[in-house]
Amino acid sequence: MENPIINNHNVALNQFYSRIYGIVGIGVAISALTSFLTIKIFWQSVMTFVQQMGWGMLIIWLVPMFMIFPMQNAAMKNKPTALPLFILYSAMMGFLLSFTLIAYTDSDVTLAFISSAGMFFGLSIYGRTTKRNLSGMGRAMIGMLIGVIIAGVINFFLGSTMVVFLTSIISVIIFSGLIAWENQKIEQVYRQNNGDVSNGWAISMALSLYLDFINLFITLLRLIGFARNNQD
């Protein structure tokens, strides 16, 4: 005979996961639509900016990094501005992504997106179902991510394609690990709060997974681009 308390717990936990995945899906859809419209309507302006504004590219990519902190703060305090900020952030990321996507073919972008989506769902299932504690791996991935960010900033001035290639491979490993860990963390957050998880918690967790997906997509796109260029 099934225990109704356990049943209710599982239903509520599944609903929490569904809320998070729903927000992630909204964010990815907004980013994709914004990128498409930006390239479609402002193709020439985007191309000119990419070709002429080397420093500008570094600066505009720093903007969303500083937006993460007020968004997380709003989410953790369950403020009504948390979801609008997330939507605004997703649109901004889509706009910024257009400056990267314009350098790749449609087939490259499609392959990278499908690969990222497949990996995301597979790693999400693993993170949710594994009995292994992934906390140690998660902390290690964050440490590696800091190292990759520092290497990326330094390489902006050096311009080494080999460093880009190596950091892209490492980044795929990092974001794969983070996706699995953060999916396991969702259940831990749910249990720690005895099921009393607000929309703020859902938005906070969704933001982390959204960033993991976007970064996994970008790094896979770079690797696909490297492979195509080596074949030409």
Side-chain angles (χ1 to χ4, degrees):
M1 184 176 179
E2 292 185 354
N3 189 324
I5 296 177
I6 295 176
N7 251 354
N8 290 337
H9 169 85
N10 290 335
V11 169
L13 178 58
N14 289 336
Q15 289 173 344
F16 185 45
Y17 270 100
S18 296
R19 266 192 288 166
I20 293 170
Y21 293 149
I23 296 169
V24 173
I26 289 171
V28 171
I30 290 172
S31 296
L33 180 60
T34 305
S35 291
F36 173 78
L37 292 176
T38 302
I39 294 173
K40 195 76 173 176
I41 299 171
F42 303 106
W43 185 90
Q44 190 58 55
S45 298
V46 172
M47 182 62 74
T48 301
F49 184 89
V50 171
Q51 291 173 344
Q52 297 181 357
M53 299 292 290
W55 277 93
M57 291 298 293
L58 177 62
I59 293 170
I60 63 173
W61 274 108
L62 290 176
V63 173
M65 292 181 66
F66 290 105
M67 281 187 65
I68 293 173
F69 302 106
M71 270 197 306
Q72 283 285 20
N73 181 60
M76 296 311 299
K77 293 182 178 178
N78 201 27
K79 293 182 178 180
T81 56
L83 186 57
L85 280 173
F86 176 79
I87 292 172
L88 175 64
Y89 184 80
S90 300
M92 177 178 287
M93 285 296 292
F95 173 72
L96 296 179
L97 276 170
S98 66
F99 294 94
T100 298
L101 300 184
I102 202 168
Y104 297 88
T105 65
D106 291 345
S107 59
D108 286 347
V109 174
T110 301
L111 178 58
F113 184 84
I114 293 173
S115 301
S116 302
M119 290 179 66
F120 181 86
F121 286 115
L123 291 162
S124 295
I125 292 171
Y126 171 74
R128 186 173 177 180
T129 58
T130 184
K131 301 301 180 183
R132 179 186 173 190
N133 189 332
L134 302 179
S135 299
M137 182 188 71
R139 289 190 293 271
M141 294 298 105
I142 291 174
M144 290 172 64
L145 178 59
I146 294 171
V148 166
I149 291 173
I150 294 171
V153 172
I154 294 173
N155 193 54
F156 181 84
F157 303 99
L158 299 177
S160 169
T161 54
M162 183 54 65
V163 171
V164 174
F165 177 71
L166 291 175
T167 54
S168 294
I169 292 176
I170 296 170
S171 294
V172 169
I173 298 171
I174 290 171
F175 292 113
S176 296
L178 288 176
I179 289 168
W181 171 55
E182 283 163 0
N183 270 277
Q184 186 178 80
K185 190 177 174 183
I186 291 172
E187 184 169 356
Q188 293 172 352
V189 166
Y190 181 86
R191 292 182 184 280
Q192 288 167 2
N193 288 275
N194 296 315
D196 185 19
V197 282
S198 62
N199 283 330
W201 270 116
I203 295 168
S204 175
M205 302 300 296
L207 174 61
S208 296
L209 287 172
Y210 165 84
L211 289 171
D212 291 338
F213 177 84
I214 293 296
N215 282 291
L216 179 62
F217 166 70
I218 292 172
T219 51
L220 285 175
L221 184 60
R222 285 176 184 156
L223 290 173
I224 290 169
F226 272 115
R228 176 171 52 79
N229 291 335
N230 287 335
Q231 289 176 350
D232 294 340

